[in-house]
Amino acid sequence: MTVKTHQFVDCSPTRADLEQASQTGQPHRLTRCTLVGCDLSDLDLTGWRFEVCNLAQASFKSATLEDATLKGCRAGGLSLQGANFSEGTIDGGDFSNANLRGATLTHSKFRNCKMTGADLRETHTLGIELEDVLLALAVLPKFSFRKMTLKRVDFTDADMSQCDFRDAVFEDCSLRDTHLIDSRFENADLRGADLGGIRLSDLRRFKGAILSKQQAAILLGQLGLQVH
């Protein structure tokens, strides 16, 4: 059975417009639409697609966005607080300072996007995928990355205290100057991570992790030792 997708193109729909559309129970596609500051909280937007839309300061607080896609959107200050974004996709775009606090992100995908300063506290993240994501200055305490493969993710200056990195693999990532108090790294492969700014006194946080010879040499160099 083919599910018909309804479309909004090059327009500025109101909450009333989208609430009415959501009541059809059918997925909708919004392309190049402007929704700046729009309140879409609590709506059921399952399977909806937002492509190249301006979602700056829009609110999806407590909305249902299962299997939804946000592609190439301008979404600075967007709120997904408490939203259900299970199996959702963010592909491209700017989501700087987005608020995802308490959101359900189970099996969601984040690719090729900017999330500088994003708030991901208290999120539910089983099966999440991160690839080519800028998370500098983001707030992610107690976030679980366990057994994940992180590809080209930049966590520079992020708050990652009490995070779980056990068995995670880092590929061309940055942990430069991150805050890693009480985080766990047992069996994590850090050979593909930039550990700039990490001091030898911080090494206890990486207990059980795998480091490259070059990384070890840099850390031991702080003691005046040389590794050949």
Side-chain angles (χ1 to χ4, degrees), residues 9 18 25 30 42 48 59 70 72 80 91 96 109 118 139-140 142-143 145 163 167 186 193 212 218 221:
V9 181
L18 300 185
L30 286 78
D42 300 307
W48 284 41
S59 176
L70 308 180
L80 288 168
D91 185 0
S96 296
K109 300 177 179 64
V139 184
L140 308 99
K142 300 182 180 180
F143 200 99
F145 298 93
C163 285
D167 300 297
E186 291 96 320
S212 69
I218 292 172

Side-chain angles (χ1 to χ4, degrees), residues 83-102:
N84 183 353
F85 196 61
S86 298
E87 301 186 12
T89 300
I90 289 180
D91 185 0
D94 187 347
F95 292 79
S96 296
N97 301 311
N99 180 5
L100 288 81
R101 186 167 185 172

Side-chain angles (χ1 to χ4, degrees), residues 1 8 24 32-33 36 51 56 64 84 109 159 206:
M1 179 177 177
F8 292 87
T24 67
R32 298 184 301 277
C33 291
V36 176
E51 299 182 357
T64 300
N84 183 353
K109 300 177 179 64
D159 177 0
F206 297 103

